[in-house]
Amino acid sequence: MSTSASASHAPRGPHARGPVAYFEDPAPGRGALPPRAAFTSDAPSLSLCGTWRFRLSPAPGAAPDGVELDGFDASDGAGWSDLPVPAHWQLHGHGAPAYTNVDYPFPVDPPRVPSDNPTGDYRLEFDLPEDWPRGPAVLRFDGVDSCGLVRLNGTELGVTKGSRLPSEFEAGPLLRARGNVLAVRVHQWSAGSYLEDQDMWWLSGIFRPVTLIARPPGGVRDLHVHADFDHLAGSGGLMVAAEGPGVRIDVPELGIAGLPAGERAEVPGVAPWSAESPRLYEGVAYTDTERVPLRIGFRTVAIEDGVLRVNGRRIVFRGVNRHEFHPEHGRAVPRESAVADIELMKRHNVNAVRTSHYPPDPEFLDLCDRYGLWVVDECDLETHGFERLGWAGNPSGDERWSDAHLDRMRRTVERDKNHPSVVLWSLGNESHTGTNLARMAAWTHERDPSRPVHYEGDRACDYVDVYSRMYASHEEVDAIGRGSAAELDNPRHRELPFILCEFAHAMGNGAGGLLEYRELFERHQRCQGGFLWEWMDHGIARKDAAGRPYFAYGGDFGEDIHDGNFVIDGAVFPDRRPSPALREFAKVFEPVRITGSAAGGTLEVTNLHDTVGLASLAFSWTLQEEGVTVAAGPLDIPQAPPGATVRVPLPDLPSPAGESWLTVTAVTAADTAWAPAGHEVAWGQVLITPPPARAATGPGTAPALLAPGRLRLGPALFDAVTGRLTELGGHPVQGPRLDLWRAPTDNDQGSDAPEAARWRAAGLHRAHHRVAAVERASGAEGPALVVRTRVAPPSLGFGMLADYHWSAHGDRLRLRVELEPDGTWPCTVPRLGLRMAVPGRFGAAEWFGGGPGEAYADSKQGARVGRHAADVDALQTPYVLPQENGNRVDARWLTLSAPDGTGLRVEGEPVFDFAARRWTTEELDAARHTTDLVPGEVIHLNLDLAQFGLGSAACGPGVLPRYRLHARRATFTLTFSALGG
């Protein structure tokens, strides 16, 4: 709204104590012009971004008087300093960031805020350009957190609230050619803060651009582009509603010239806009005094038979939730970072964004239009902290806050209404329900019936158009898809598309179970995908006392209350490097599926795009024997419409002797806006030749006792008392021995009953190893050294029996480990495997198996079979909060070597998982930041039979039953040999 109740007449709650200050008024700000679409034009404009003078006061009453007046002393000596705009003052040495997820960081006494309310005064003196026209001008603020009093040349223009929304003020009559003084007083806390309890850092200031825009008489004040598409006729319809005298529209490419605003043009043969084919037509809206460039995308959004369709086709959101964030600038995100976000999304098969939980910088939506992303555009609204009070006093149902709710929704819709990428409006997030939200939905339906309305908090679906949930389990999604869930007794739930507005919490090492979600989206027509939580970690760049960089999270700035590293929950690290979760997402949700069978002699290629064929892709194949390429070539794949599968014969292949895999890739055939030609979009593998049978080992070497207290077995030395391997081929080693523990992941520590808590209660992190016997024996493999042990936690009566059967065959040392649970186990197991240590100089890893990246039982679709190599240090995933990481799956063999070629080789029967790092699991467990991890002198090597899955329990479902690891009887066989030396 453009006006609000005056401070003296604002309604107050039962705890009112005197007049309400403007920043405590629950009504919207005052003095702003009616909201309009964000657009540029040829009207003169002046960016006011740059260096402003700034002074932070501890409270409004301590702020200086007269800041808005000519001649005010804003010198360094008066306590002022320079501050960039856009920026957050906490990231420039004024106060400190604070992070909470749900809790308000101040007493909940709406609409009151603390007396200790940091207040920043901004002051800018500026001149107008020589050719600046006389007449109306608009002063535009695209984002001020949380409330700003705006004054120009000593006169108040108004008050802005709604931190992530624009406000425009009429400034023309007050402007002068030289020496304009713009003063903005910004309060960290305001009544608006009660509506802005989003899960992110509390950061304040003018964090989006400030612009002065001349408004020519007879210009275009606002416009609304209606560009629909008839998928049956293949034609479009264009009508532009505009505010301004005699507005006309030209779209030269479509032969449209001089189309009056308000009149509709039928456009035959138009190419529709979609996220996969973002066709935009360049046009212009103009009057005699102003020209506004248009980018027009023709598309129609509709819900038919309970299915959300765009241009007549069912779409599936393979989406992410995106907060705006930069590790140095907070929500003042540079344009190049926004471009990097979208290019990373497109390269990793992300097709949709939910703008959690506020409208983004308008330029981001311009990029979504151009690059192609479906967008759920969310209003700047969240009152999550009232959940702590049982939702008592929640503004969503309080009449005093009605205007503020409607104002925020109006400003969202009016600003972003012309973006074809926006296919759903969202009322906000985690604000429970109430009449104010219902009014927002009603207004939106009336203002823009061309887009459905979303809001997860309307669980009854009384005023929304899609059924939305957060973190529904796989079982729930399946029940919803089948229409058998108990809550689907509500007939509205049965009529509407189902969307997971948040799923698969990507905090730390995770999320697991993406494949099973995808299978549900494909199985049930009404289950139309969802949005991964979330896009990136919100780590703030800092350096420790030694100058080493790390990323800070909640609690690192001395907050009274905070939610720790819960703000570190993205698929992209704070510096915008993709995490393993994003690579897994890219594979699981690839838009082309490639499968095949050597026995059947065919390949199957399924087009999983929503709207386009395969013409933009080029296919090729590679045959590898034990990871070494032996043949390759292009592959001709017939065109397939969306949803279709084509079958082609396997290419003519040689006959390798060893294990061989055919890998087929689909890459971009030409340069795109988001990737160069040759970027891999999808891949699949077919086993052509299985691994050859293991050769007979031949007679073994008998163990021999050496003095003092050592045993020799072939190339190895053992401690005669403990039976532990101490040397292999002349190289010192430690172990291996049974390992049941891992440094818990964020998901291990999530949920009301964390898996990691059970593990710690069972003492698995401090298990003791008792040697029962060290024996020389004879078996099927010939002479052997048998070490019998029991591994168990202190004070408890259960454990694991582990018998190590060692045999030597020439220069090879074979180990068969037999495991058997002892007693009644009270919990699952983090891992079943072995841990050992090898010389630190063996830092080069090479393996044949799954890779190249980290993978786990329920998150390994992105691991392809091949020969991979990496430095041990590069095997680590530097999660902001250190935790279990770096596992590689299904290795047939592994070598760790030094520059001189010496090293160690491990072979599986048939496969094993491994991780190698320069610190212990215990050190990894204890670390709070990456700088806590100090490399040691040895490499700690885990060789695993299995690990517990990852799941999503940090804020979602736990590990699916098939990926849960239980103490069980098992046999695990490995062969060791030395390299060089």
Side-chain angles (χ1 to χ4, degrees):
M1 297 182 67
S2 60
T3 61
S4 69
S6 67
S8 60
H9 293 93
R12 300 193 294 277
H15 306 293
R17 296 174 297 279
V20 175
Y22 64 87
F23 52 84
E24 291 186 317
D25 189 342
R30 60 177 183 248
L33 296 168
R36 64 185 180 116
F39 58 81
T40 60
S41 79
D42 62 354
S45 66
L46 176 65
S47 171
L48 299 181
C49 298
T51 301
W52 292 44
R53 298 297 285 169
F54 178 78
R55 185 182 188 275
L56 184 65
S57 302
D65 293 329
V67 174
E68 74 279 12
L69 301 177
D70 294 337
F72 179 84
D73 182 8
S75 66
D76 292 357
W80 291 70
S81 60
D82 287 344
L83 184 71
V85 169
H88 297 286
W89 68 56
Q90 291 91 344
L91 299 181
H92 290 267
H94 305 279
Y99 166 63
T100 62
N101 170 25
V102 176
D103 297 304
Y104 291 103
F106 48 79
V108 180
D109 182 22
R112 300 287 185 172
V113 296
S115 299
D116 295 331
N117 183 4
T119 297
D121 276 299
Y122 290 78
R123 194 174 193 274
L124 177 71
E125 296 188 21
F126 67 95
D127 299 332
L128 296 178
E130 293 292 339
D131 57 351
W132 189 265
R134 296 175 61 86
V138 167
L139 184 61
R140 181 181 180 90
F141 294 84
D142 278 302
V144 179
D145 193 326
S146 70
C147 171
L149 171 65
V150 181
R151 293 171 287 188
L152 177 64
N153 292 330
T155 298
E156 178 185 319
L157 298 183
V159 172
T160 175
K161 296 177 188 172
S163 297
R164 269 68 67 178
L165 290 161
S167 293
E168 291 186 332
F169 302 95
E170 175 55 53
L174 298 175
L175 289 173
R176 52 202 187 199
R178 297 287 181 270
N180 292 282
V181 176
L182 177 57
V184 185
R185 176 161 290 172
V186 179
H187 304 279
Q188 179 163 338
W189 310 123
S190 71
S193 301
Y194 285 101
L195 305 183
E196 296 172 5
D197 188 29
Q198 292 97 336
D199 175 12
M200 59 186 182
W201 292 98
W202 294 93
L203 294 168
S204 314
I206 305 174
F207 70 97
R208 285 184 184 162
V210 182
T211 312
L212 183 66
I213 308 167
R215 299 305 308 132
V220 181
R221 203 207 77 81
D222 194 15
L223 50 85
H224 189 175
V225 176
H226 302 266
D228 55 71
F229 180 73
D230 184 336
H231 66 280
L232 297 176
S235 62
L238 176 65
M239 190 274 285
V240 179
E243 293 183 32
V247 178
R248 294 183 176 272
I249 315 299
D250 289 353
V251 188
E253 192 174 356
L254 298 177
I256 295 175
L259 176 70
E263 291 189 12
R264 179 179 171 89
E266 299 296 333
V267 189
V270 71
W273 187 97
S274 73
E276 295 163 350
S277 180
R279 181 66 162 92
L280 295 172
Y281 291 89
E282 302 287 338
V284 61
Y286 59 93
T287 68
D288 291 341
T289 59
E290 186 175 19
R291 296 177 64 84
V292 177
L294 303 176
R295 286 197 177 100
I296 302 165
F298 291 87
R299 59 106 184 93
T300 296
V301 185
I303 295 174
E304 300 171 353
D305 299 323
V307 176
L308 178 67
R309 300 181 185 276
V310 178
N311 301 332
R313 299 203 59 87
R314 172 184 183 256
I315 64 171
V316 176
F317 292 123
R318 305 168 181 93
V320 295
N321 283 275
R322 177 186 180 265
H323 270 292
E324 293 191 303
F325 187 75
H326 186 280
E328 295 173 346
H329 307 300
R331 286 184 290 281
V333 179
R335 183 182 188 278
E336 58 269 23
S337 295
V339 171
D341 282 346
I342 286 186
E343 291 182 350
L344 275 173
M345 289 175 189
K346 296 289 288 187
R347 290 174 184 172
H348 289 85
N349 297 328
V350 173
N351 75 348
V353 173
R354 176 180 176 226
T355 67
S356 54
H357 298 292
Y358 42 84
D361 186 297
E363 192 168 31
F364 180 79
L365 296 180
D366 290 338
L367 295 170
C368 291
D369 293 342
R370 185 157 62 89
Y371 283 84
L373 287 166
W374 309 118
V375 174
V376 177
D377 194 1
E378 196 144 272
C379 184
D380 188 10
L381 176 65
E382 181 167 339
T383 65
H384 201 173
F386 284 90
E387 183 179 42
R388 299 290 196 224
L389 309 178
W391 296 106
N394 182 24
S396 299
D398 187 334
E399 179 66 28
R400 293 179 301 162
W401 302 84
S402 177
D403 287 350
H405 281 70
L406 285 171
D407 172 74
R408 287 169 183 251
M409 197 66 202
R410 286 169 176 155
R411 287 156 71 190
T412 299
V413 171
E414 297 296 353
R415 192 197 76 167
D416 297 340
K417 60 198 172 193
N418 294 329
H419 291 284
S421 57
V422 175
V423 293
L424 289 174
W425 297 118
S426 179
L427 304 181
N429 185 67
E430 291 177 320
S431 299
H432 199 46
T433 188
T435 55
N436 293 333
L437 286 156
R439 289 168 185 161
M440 293 166 69
W443 179 88
T444 305
H445 282 125
E446 181 178 358
R447 179 69 179 104
D448 182 24
S450 72
R451 295 176 175 97
V453 171
H454 164 275
Y455 176 61
E456 182 269 344
D458 179 18
R459 294 292 293 273
C461 297
D462 289 332
Y463 46 84
V464 295
D465 304 306
V466 297
Y467 179 31
S468 177
R469 288 282 303 281
M470 292 181 180
Y471 306 109
S473 68
H474 301 82
E475 183 180 15
E476 289 178 278
V477 173
D478 187 42
I480 290 167
R482 289 185 287 108
S484 61
E487 64 183 302
L488 293 187
D489 290 342
N490 181 339
R492 285 285 288 164
H493 291 172
R494 295 179 180 274
E495 299 168 358
L496 302 180
F498 175 72
I499 294 169
L500 283 165
C501 65
E502 295 178 19
F503 82 115
H505 199 258
M507 185 176 181
N509 190 347
L514 288 176
L515 172 65
E516 289 75 14
Y517 275 116
R518 185 201 76 192
E519 291 171 345
L520 293 168
F521 302 156
E522 294 177 356
R523 185 179 309 152
H524 302 299
Q525 280 286 297
R526 288 178 51 251
C527 296
Q528 295 190 247
F531 296 84
L532 181 79
W533 187 268
E534 67 169 301
W535 174 240
M536 75 180 302
D537 293 339
H538 304 206
I540 293 179
R542 286 293 181 265
K543 292 183 179 180
D544 66 8
R548 296 176 301 172
Y550 70 98
F551 293 109
Y553 48 78
D556 285 339
F557 297 95
E559 301 101 307
D560 288 340
I561 61 170
H562 63 84
D563 285 295
N565 71 310
F566 206 69
V567 76
I568 307 296
D569 54 4
V572 175
F573 292 115
D575 56 6
R576 284 178 162 76
R577 286 177 300 118
S579 78
L582 187 59
R583 299 188 184 98
E584 178 76 358
F585 186 100
K587 175 58 180 171
V588 169
F589 291 107
E590 59 191 359
V592 178
R593 185 162 307 137
I594 302 166
T595 59
S597 165
T602 59
L603 288 170
E604 291 189 352
V605 178
T606 302
N607 181 6
L608 299 171
H609 288 97
D610 293 327
T611 63
V612 301
L614 302 178
S616 64
L617 301 176
F619 293 80
S620 61
W621 61 269
T622 302
L623 180 67
Q624 292 187 328
E625 180 180 0
E626 289 217 358
V628 177
T629 299
V630 294
L635 190 64
D636 185 20
I637 299 296
Q639 287 307 305
T645 297
V646 294
R647 295 170 177 83
V648 297
L650 292 175
D652 292 331
L653 302 172
S655 301
E659 179 180 352
S660 63
W661 289 80
L662 179 72
T663 302
V664 177
T665 59
V667 303
T668 50
D671 291 346
T672 69
W674 45 271
H679 166 75
E680 186 176 271
V681 172
W683 59 272
Q685 288 191 299
V686 180
L687 177 64
I688 301 299
T689 308
R694 188 173 67 87
T697 55
T701 303
L705 181 63
L706 305 176
R710 294 191 298 167
L711 285 168
R712 177 175 291 283
L713 181 62
L717 292 179
F718 292 82
D719 184 294
V721 176
T722 65
R724 292 188 69 183
L725 178 67
T726 60
E727 189 175 301
L728 179 65
H731 305 310
V733 298
Q734 303 170 27
R737 64 178 185 173
L738 180 64
D739 191 13
L740 304 173
W741 182 245
R742 75 181 185 192
T745 67
D746 286 308
N747 288 313
D748 292 340
Q749 300 179 91
S751 82
D752 294 333
E755 210 72 40
R758 295 190 184 101
W759 297 339
R760 289 191 193 276
L764 300 188
H765 60 304
R766 51 176 179 245
H768 291 210
H769 295 251
R770 179 175 63 83
V771 178
V774 179
E775 306 169 344
R776 282 178 279 186
S778 181
E781 299 289 342
L785 174 67
V786 179
V787 182
R788 303 188 188 281
T789 70
R790 184 176 188 272
V791 180
S795 79
L796 299 171
F798 67 93
M800 184 74 74
L801 302 178
D803 291 351
Y804 305 81
H805 296 258
W806 294 96
S807 59
H809 310 272
D811 62 355
R812 295 160 61 83
L813 184 67
R814 189 166 183 263
L815 169 63
R816 187 179 79 255
V817 182
E818 295 179 348
L819 304 176
E820 183 176 354
D822 184 32
T824 301
W825 275 70
C827 62
T828 57
V829 187
R831 72 176 351 126
L832 287 175
L834 303 171
R835 190 199 307 192
M836 61 187 300
V838 303
R841 60 194 181 89
F842 294 174
E846 185 178 12
W847 71 99
F848 175 44
E854 143 186 317
Y856 290 81
D858 57 351
S859 182
K860 65 176 184 178
Q861 300 307 305
R864 72 183 78 190
V865 178
R867 186 174 296 206
H868 311 285
D871 185 273
V872 164
D873 297 325
L875 293 176
Q876 315 311 306
T877 302
Y879 292 112
V880 173
L881 175 66
Q883 56 197 271
E884 163 61 36
N885 73 90
N887 188 65
R888 267 62 180 182
V889 296
D890 299 331
R892 282 71 165 161
W893 54 258
L894 162 72
T895 65
L896 294 174
S897 61
D900 63 2
T902 58
L904 175 74
R905 179 181 172 97
V906 186
E907 299 173 34
E909 294 185 21
V911 297
F912 59 94
D913 290 4
F914 78 90
R917 52 180 68 100
R918 297 187 184 275
W919 36 78
T920 66
T921 300
E922 290 71 25
E923 290 168 332
L924 186 60
D925 189 4
R928 300 293 88 193
H929 297 91
T930 53
T931 48
D932 296 334
L933 295 170
V934 180
E937 295 182 356
V938 299
I939 291 171
H940 300 274
L941 177 63
N942 280 98
L943 304 167
D944 289 339
L945 174 66
Q947 271 199 63
F948 195 83
L950 299 177
S952 192
C955 190
V959 174
L960 285 165
R962 71 181 70 107
Y963 303 121
R964 295 173 65 82
L965 183 60
H966 297 274
R968 56 182 171 85
R969 182 176 292 180
T971 300
F972 185 32
T973 304
L974 300 169
T975 297
F976 299 85
S977 56
L979 303 175

